[in-house]
Amino acid sequence: KPLFFATRPYRAPFAALAATALATAGPWIWSLFRLNATDPLVGGHPAADLSLDLLALFIPGGHWRFANLTRGYWSSLPGSIHESSVYIGLSVTALLIYAVARRRALDRSALLLWFSVLLFFAVFSLGPVLHVWGREVTTITMPYGWVERLIPAIDISGVPVRMTVMVVLSAAVISAMVLKLLLHSSRPARVAALLLLGIMVVEYLPSPIPTTRIATPPFVEALSRLPADQAILDTVDDPSLALYFQTIHQHPMALGYIARLPKSVADRDNGIYVAKDSGNYAMLPRDYNIRYLVTKATDEAAARMSWAKLVYQDSTVRIYDLRPQ
């Protein structure tokens, strides 16, 4: 039964699980929704840009070892391959079809439960608008779009495709049920199971993970020797790289790269962006308590700061103390 947890043997354990979840995760969820209601979180993604393409479950994506064979498909999908590579495999699809065909030989209650989970999350991972081969089918509004209108706070996420993790989990459980059935059946059935497992290995073979050695620039070492309780603004590095360097120099930093910001914080950050873009660095220590400024050596606006102390320089980078003692 799909609602097995409502039957007598499972009521008490399910109630204990629900109470524990409410006591632990509940306050976090409540705080998140309350914050979003009073100080809206910004930085979310347009859900239509990061939704599951209808064919992505059945065509290998950009992380497959032989991804060049399907480049014509996955290169047309919006977003990055890290989001759109959700292929479950033709071997697993065959097992799912076999599960439906031989449902009487399987645990029908468990099968109905896991297929319900699979279909629910598959439908909602499609996002607000149906996508086929990277193109929007704008005449069809999906259930996710209805939920967006009903619960505006769902915009905090904005990445429906990530719900396919539950599709993969459900497909894995159903596949395991079918493989067990096949391996305990006739010899042809066992051969078919082993053949599908072999295909699965090829289908799930990932491309090598690229590795990068990040050298620590001398200016980061110089920052690490300055008092670590003083905030910095790094105008030189990419935000993600700046966060990595922070693990070395240990300074609080402005404009850190995080997923979502309350609107009030984003508005304050805009002032820092304005100061950075206009070269009006005098407001940084006064309005934002930023003491150290990291700029390119070619930054003419920084070079004109006669009131700031140059504490480090090399051929590419300079560090200024905006509040010299």
Side-chain angles (χ1 to χ4, degrees):
K1 299 178 180 179
L3 298 180
F4 68 92
F5 50 84
T7 58
R8 185 180 297 275
Y10 298 100
R11 287 174 190 166
F14 180 75
L17 173 64
T20 302
L22 286 173
T24 54
W28 291 95
I29 296 172
W30 170 253
S31 297
L32 176 66
F33 279 88
R34 185 176 62 177
L35 172 63
N36 191 61
T38 57
D39 192 1
L41 295 168
V42 299
H45 309 284
D49 292 345
L50 291 169
S51 298
L52 172 68
D53 190 271
L54 187 63
L55 304 177
L57 294 174
F58 312 107
I59 301 178
H63 278 303
W64 188 37
R65 177 64 63 92
F66 311 105
N68 283 335
L69 298 176
T70 56
R71 180 181 293 274
Y73 169 68
W74 57 259
S75 62
S76 68
L77 303 182
S80 68
I81 60 173
H82 313 303
E83 301 287 0
S84 62
S85 298
V86 292
Y87 178 62
I88 63 171
L90 296 179
S91 55
V92 169
T93 302
L95 290 170
L96 296 178
I97 295 173
Y98 188 82
V100 174
R102 293 293 308 278
R103 57 188 179 277
R104 296 183 184 277
L106 297 166
D107 185 334
R108 297 178 65 182
S109 296
L111 200 63
L112 180 58
L113 171 64
W114 286 108
F115 263 115
S116 298
V117 173
L118 185 153
L119 292 173
F120 175 86
F121 283 99
V123 169
F124 276 89
S125 65
L126 292 169
V129 180
L130 182 65
H131 292 74
V132 180
W133 204 279
R135 298 181 180 179
E136 290 187 4
V137 182
T138 54
T139 56
I140 302 177
T141 300
M142 305 303 294
Y144 187 96
W146 307 338
V147 175
E148 272 189 320
R149 298 191 187 104
L150 183 64
I151 310 174
I154 200 173
D155 287 342
I156 298 173
S157 170
V159 192
V161 68
R162 293 178 183 173
M163 285 193 279
T164 53
V165 66
M166 294 302 297
V167 176
V168 173
L169 172 63
S170 304
V173 174
I174 296 170
S175 296
M177 295 168 61
V178 175
L179 285 171
K180 180 180 178 181
L181 175 65
L182 292 174
L183 292 173
H184 288 82
S185 299
S186 63
R187 182 175 180 180
R190 293 196 297 271
V191 171
L194 295 175
L195 179 61
L196 286 171
L197 286 171
I199 295 173
M200 198 179 298
V201 169
V202 176
E203 289 186 310
Y204 289 167
L205 197 63
S207 60
I209 298 175
T211 57
T212 303
R213 183 182 298 276
I214 302 177
T216 303
F219 83 87
V220 175
E221 298 290 350
L223 278 172
S224 67
R225 294 190 290 269
L226 297 172
D229 58 341
Q230 304 294 329
I232 72 165
L233 173 62
D234 184 347
T235 68
V236 173
D237 295 303
D238 172 88
S240 299
L241 193 58
L243 283 182
Y244 167 71
F245 290 148
Q246 187 190 33
T247 66
I248 299 172
H249 60 64
Q250 299 289 304
H251 283 269
M253 62 179 293
L255 306 181
Y257 182 74
I258 59 177
R260 304 291 182 269
L261 286 175
K263 187 176 183 301
S264 60
V265 176
D267 291 342
R268 287 276 291 168
D269 281 356
N270 284 336
I272 301 178
Y273 284 114
V274 170
K276 185 176 73 168
D277 294 339
S278 65
N280 183 19
Y281 298 123
M283 65 185 297
L284 296 178
R286 182 185 68 239
D287 298 340
Y288 296 96
N289 200 32
I290 294 173
R291 179 163 185 176
Y292 298 109
L293 173 67
V294 181
T295 71
K296 293 181 180 179
T298 56
D299 189 328
E300 296 180 359
R304 291 193 296 267
M305 296 189 303
S306 58
W307 48 272
K309 180 180 179 182
L310 182 63
V311 295
Y312 173 86
Q313 67 175 331
D314 58 29
S315 60
T316 58
V317 176
R318 292 176 180 173
I319 302 176
Y320 293 91
D321 184 346
L322 304 181
R323 293 187 298 164
Q325 303 297 319

